[in-house]
Amino acid sequence: MRSSMLIATAVAAALSAASGLAVAAPPNLAQAAAATNTLYIAGSSAAKAGILKALQTTLCGGASNALTISSTGNTNFLAVSCTPTLAGVPAVVTTVYYRTEGGSVVGALPIVTGKAIATLDLTNAGSTITCTTTTCSAPVGGSSAANGISDTFTGNVVKHTVQLGITDVEPGVLTGNNYPGAYQTSVYGKATTAQMQALPFQTLFGQAFGIFVNTNSAAFPAAEKNTTTTAGVLNISKAALTNVLQGNVTNWNAVPDTSGNAVATSQAITIVNREQGSGSRTSADIFFTNDGCQTGGTPIKEVNPTLDFFSTGNVLAAANSTPGSITYASIDNFNLTTSPNLVLVNIDGITPSNLTAASGQYGMWYESTAVISPTLSGNSLTLANTIIGVLQDIASEPHLIDVVAIPGNANNTPALPVSSTADGSPAIYVNSYTRAGSSCSAPISAL
């Protein structure tokens, strides 16, 4: 088993020695704002932790070598600045901006339309951005619910075109019921189905998604509730969850667990949705209802579009505060501290994990993708391609509990037993299957 952190550090050290360069100290805020090389990324909120970790660890050689700027208030904007030592990337101060506000929507739609959208602004700092040596906090005003569809965020933001988009699923399935119709066309533009399907993309890494249920109610038995140290256990079949998400049942007392018993006594079900166009929502919609992949599919029930949420963090916070709620997100978001009321559901008796996904037992996983703007060139294009390569290789892609390496990408070789492909800590694995860039396709054996 290899440690990605140690490998990334060793690679950075080796490259530095070969080039005669030492790993540079983190830039200060002014240097980050005036970086010689920049890249503007937007997209997946489910992949936020993974992208951030890859930038800090592999591009910068460790978080201690980088200045990481995170937005406060609205927490969906960030930037990482450092002097990279990766081969092929100029050893100059480089700042990568990443917006997760809007999720996969902003990883595809603005690239089709060419519209500039809000991203973190480091140049108008004044006294509002506060920093240590390696971190900064940048206030951003406006909520996803009130400002997301109009992109009217305030504070340390500025409009910029998206140069590299990250989507949880390929852009071509962000159509139909999963097209981001709530977003104002005057701001984000509008794309046809043909335009979304024509966007070239590269697969990055697989993500395991899951279903989260708020069991913090007297209606749920103690075994289905979290404690401060132990996760609750809730087993529900895929068919029963489909009925819930389609709105066919409205009370948990009508939902059976896999033993045939009611999940709870009387407790109303509240579906807490991401917005249409979200990759997390699209993956759940395809997995449970096959909507968008077949004619006449019944999608996830849209309770009220004005109450949808525009990022993973926002939707989980809303579900965590609503007893009886159900939502969906990548499984790395399961956290007894930040979401103590949410239980991660075992689907058909299978515990969600990257190992059960990679071994073919757990089916709710999809392949994230990268979309490069056709106008990108020069050092920014080199940087984008380098980051894509980092995110494709099991040795350097994010080591998180939801991530599975895609077989055939970079040096990812599938093998049996799947556990023999383990890399790093937490371990990630090479998937035994691939969707070959098509979320509507059944997984194909890569062995």
Side-chain angles (χ1 to χ4, degrees):
M1 180 182 294
R2 299 169 293 174
S3 165
S4 64
M5 182 72 75
L6 292 174
I7 287 173
T9 303
V11 169
L15 290 169
S16 296
S19 62
L21 296 172
V23 175
N28 59 36
L29 182 62
Q31 291 169 328
T36 303
N37 199 6
T38 59
L39 182 67
Y40 289 82
I41 306 177
S44 169
S45 60
K48 177 180 179 179
I51 302 295
L52 176 60
K53 188 173 182 179
L55 292 174
Q56 293 173 327
T57 301
T58 308
L59 181 68
C60 299
S64 62
N65 302 320
L67 182 67
T68 302
I69 306 97
S70 303
S71 60
T72 58
N74 182 302
T75 59
N76 299 321
F77 300 84
L78 61 88
V80 175
S81 187
C82 65
T83 301
T85 54
L86 283 176
V89 179
V92 296
V93 175
T94 298
T95 301
V96 179
Y97 297 85
Y98 188 28
R99 166 184 166 149
T100 63
E101 173 68 41
S104 295
V105 171
V106 295
L109 184 58
I111 291 182
V112 173
T113 64
K115 293 284 190 178
I117 60 173
T119 191
L120 203 57
D121 182 12
L122 308 183
T123 64
N124 189 30
S127 61
T128 64
I129 299 182
T130 58
C131 298
T132 66
T133 303
T134 58
T135 63
C136 294
S137 297
V140 171
S143 68
S144 297
N147 305 91
I149 62 173
S150 58
D151 204 35
T152 51
F153 299 100
T154 59
N156 295 289
V157 291
V158 65
K159 300 283 186 177
H160 201 284
T161 53
V162 177
Q163 298 173 324
L164 176 62
I166 307 293
T167 58
D168 295 320
V169 290
E170 70 277 14
V173 295
L174 301 177
T175 57
N177 290 315
N178 289 305
Y179 179 79
Y183 287 77
Q184 293 182 6
T185 57
S186 60
V187 177
Y188 294 93
K190 185 176 182 179
T192 65
T193 296
Q195 287 176 310
M196 295 292 275
Q197 292 176 341
L199 272 179
F201 65 88
Q202 300 177 61
T203 56
L204 296 175
F205 51 83
Q207 296 180 102
F209 291 87
I211 295 297
F212 295 77
V213 173
N214 185 323
T215 60
N216 187 31
S217 160
F220 292 90
E224 296 176 353
K225 298 179 180 181
N226 299 325
T227 69
T228 55
T229 58
T230 307
V233 178
L234 184 54
N235 291 286
I236 306 177
S237 70
K238 179 179 178 181
L241 288 169
T242 301
N243 268 331
V244 171
L245 292 169
Q246 289 177 326
N248 298 328
V249 290
T250 59
N251 197 295
W252 286 109
N253 62 13
V255 180
D257 62 20
T258 52
S259 297
N261 302 311
V263 166
T265 57
S266 185
Q267 173 64 58
I269 297 171
T270 301
I271 301 173
V272 181
N273 274 324
R274 285 291 305 279
E275 84 285 13
Q276 291 176 315
S278 152
S280 297
R281 176 169 175 160
T282 301
S283 66
D285 198 28
I286 290 173
F287 181 72
F288 289 104
T289 77
N290 212 28
D291 177 48
C293 298
Q294 66 177 18
T295 303
T298 301
I300 290 175
K301 182 177 178 62
E302 181 57 273
V303 180
N304 184 341
T306 64
L307 298 179
D308 290 348
F309 293 88
F310 290 74
S311 74
T312 298
N314 295 143
V315 80
L316 289 173
N320 187 65
S321 65
T322 309
S325 63
I326 181 171
T327 193
Y328 37 81
S330 54
I331 64 171
D332 62 311
N333 290 284
F334 178 60
N335 189 304
L336 295 178
T337 301
T338 58
S339 302
N341 301 326
L342 297 181
V343 170
L344 180 60
V345 176
N346 297 336
I347 302 177
D348 289 327
I350 303 298
T351 302
S353 73
N354 57 1
L355 180 57
T356 56
S359 60
Q361 301 173 70
Y362 184 75
M364 195 179 175
W365 57 267
Y366 289 88
E367 296 170 345
S368 62
T369 73
V371 183
I372 296 178
S373 167
T375 63
L376 194 59
S377 62
N379 286 339
S380 293
L381 178 58
T382 299
L383 181 57
N385 283 321
T386 300
I387 290 173
I388 289 171
V390 165
L391 295 174
Q392 290 178 323
D393 194 321
I394 188 170
S396 54
E397 65 191 2
H399 282 58
L400 298 170
I401 61 172
D402 66 316
V403 170
V404 287
I406 297 175
N409 275 1
N411 299 309
N412 307 337
T413 303
L416 291 177
V418 171
S419 58
S420 69
T421 69
D423 183 282
S425 179
I428 63 174
Y429 308 88
V430 178
N431 205 335
S432 298
Y433 296 83
T434 176
R435 295 187 188 274
S438 174
S439 297
C440 288
S441 297
I444 304 164
S445 175
L447 296 169

